[in-house]
Amino acid sequence: MLPRELHESNRPSTTAQAVALYRALELRRPAAQRIVTDPFAPFFLTAGTRAAMRPLGWATPLRDLAAKHELGGLATYVLCRHRFIDEHLLQAIDRDVRQVLILGAGYDSRAYRFAAQLGDRPVYEVDLPPLSRRKASIVAAHDEFAVNSVVRVEIDFRTQTLADRLAAAGFATGRPTFVVWEGVVPYLDSDAVEATLRTLADVCGAGSALALDLWDATGGPGPLAPVRRLGARAIALVGEPVTYGVVPAAVSDLLAEYGFAVIDLADASALTRRFATLGRQSVESLYVVAASR
């Protein structure tokens, strides 16, 4: 369900590093120009990724120029996706959701960025053991991560089930839960997606919400669709191939099978309109969904 190497080595996930880098670079902008403000992102960068920060910083005008065309908008999409989920998380907290579940947590820092809003709500961060342990070591080494509500849930999907690992970690079945499933689904297969949704249907109570991102599998509208499909395939070069897609028109039916009703779906144009700054565009064929239970 995920590349073998990520199960068996301490190699940092390339895509997880990339999205942390996007958030770190965004910190170099004035606050009013940022899509997301994540002061914790730089801590998660490897030495090699940090080395790339300086030339990428110098190239900001060129990066922004490229991002004004949607084919150059992958970083913009990732940042807008993050902001979309942030806003739905805060809305769920206001509705008194009682716990947060982050699937494929990677270098997600919401437990720390929103510590005041979360209060005593536990945040269950699920990931592969090597990735979870690397993150835990970084958090332990820096006083800035002063939060006691994070519960790390290590899982080997080849031999363990999500339901069992959550139960062992003390997750409260049937409680209103906000589920973050970001940057994961496109890299799974249909069996893994359906198994996870079945588990969420079993463990999430009424009043829960789910936020996830998806690839439409077609490459999006217009004559550039083949180029976008090629870009999706090219991610396989870093060992994390895009394998699962669903068109937006089918999402409501997919999630309804597991008791979730779509309340918000933001495609590239909606994400650009809501969150993008400086004329940056979000790439087509990728979109974000929030659903309630």
Side-chain angles (χ1 to χ4, degrees):
M1 289 186 289
L2 287 171
R4 173 181 292 272
E5 188 184 355
L6 291 183
H7 285 96
E8 298 177 348
S9 81
N10 291 316
R11 174 177 75 84
S13 163
T14 304
T15 54
Q17 276 290 294
V19 298
L21 175 60
Y22 296 153
R23 298 200 302 273
L25 286 169
E26 197 74 356
L27 285 173
R28 298 193 169 193
R29 302 183 189 276
Q33 295 180 2
R34 296 176 197 156
I35 299 171
V36 168
T37 297
D38 181 0
F40 299 98
F43 292 106
F44 297 119
L45 302 181
T46 63
T49 309
R50 285 195 197 95
M53 286 278 289
R54 181 171 294 180
L56 286 171
W58 293 334
T60 294
L62 292 176
R63 290 191 295 111
D64 286 350
L65 181 62
K68 290 183 178 181
H69 191 286
E70 63 94 1
L71 282 181
L74 179 59
T76 304
Y77 163 75
V78 168
L79 294 167
C80 289
R81 174 186 78 187
H82 211 69
R83 175 75 173 273
F84 174 97
I85 296 174
D86 283 354
E87 297 205 347
H88 280 280
L89 170 60
L90 294 174
Q91 292 170 21
I93 292 171
D94 286 342
R95 295 193 303 269
D96 206 30
V97 71
R98 297 312 305 156
Q99 58 191 359
V100 176
L101 172 61
I102 305 178
L103 301 175
Y107 303 121
D108 188 296
S109 67
R110 291 184 174 95
Y112 311 101
R113 288 194 290 125
F114 299 127
Q117 295 91 332
L118 286 163
D120 61 355
R121 295 171 178 83
V123 179
Y124 295 89
E125 295 192 347
V126 179
D127 216 329
L128 304 176
L131 305 183
S132 182
R133 292 170 192 175
R134 181 176 189 272
K135 183 178 184 180
S137 68
I138 293 168
V139 169
H142 297 90
D143 292 338
E144 290 86 348
F145 295 91
V147 173
N148 296 320
S149 60
V150 175
V151 181
R152 303 199 188 282
V153 183
E154 296 183 359
I155 185 167
D156 185 331
F157 287 103
R158 300 167 301 178
T159 60
Q160 299 170 317
T161 69
L162 177 60
D164 287 346
R165 297 302 297 145
L166 289 176
F171 183 88
T173 296
R175 184 173 291 182
T177 305
F178 187 83
V179 182
V180 177
W181 204 8
E182 180 180 12
V184 178
V185 176
Y187 304 104
L188 303 179
D189 60 29
S190 59
D191 289 343
V193 172
E194 292 164 9
T196 302
L197 288 172
R198 279 195 299 273
T199 299
L200 295 179
D202 290 340
V203 304
C204 294
S208 295
L210 165 65
L212 72 159
D213 61 296
L214 294 155
W215 176 53
D216 74 1
T218 69
L224 294 176
V227 179
R228 299 188 199 101
R229 289 197 298 270
L230 181 62
R233 295 191 187 101
I235 298 176
L237 296 175
V238 300
E240 296 167 38
V242 173
T243 52
Y244 181 84
V246 56
V247 295
V251 171
S252 291
D253 288 343
L254 171 66
L255 296 182
E257 290 183 38
Y258 304 95
F260 289 94
V262 172
I263 58 174
D264 192 8
L265 189 155
D267 60 10
S269 61
L271 290 173
T272 297
R273 184 175 64 254
R274 293 186 199 182
F275 307 124
T277 60
L278 304 171
R280 290 179 282 176
Q281 302 289 311
S282 183
V283 67
E284 298 278 1
S285 81
L286 299 166
Y287 62 102
V288 198
V289 176
S292 64
R293 182 171 176 77

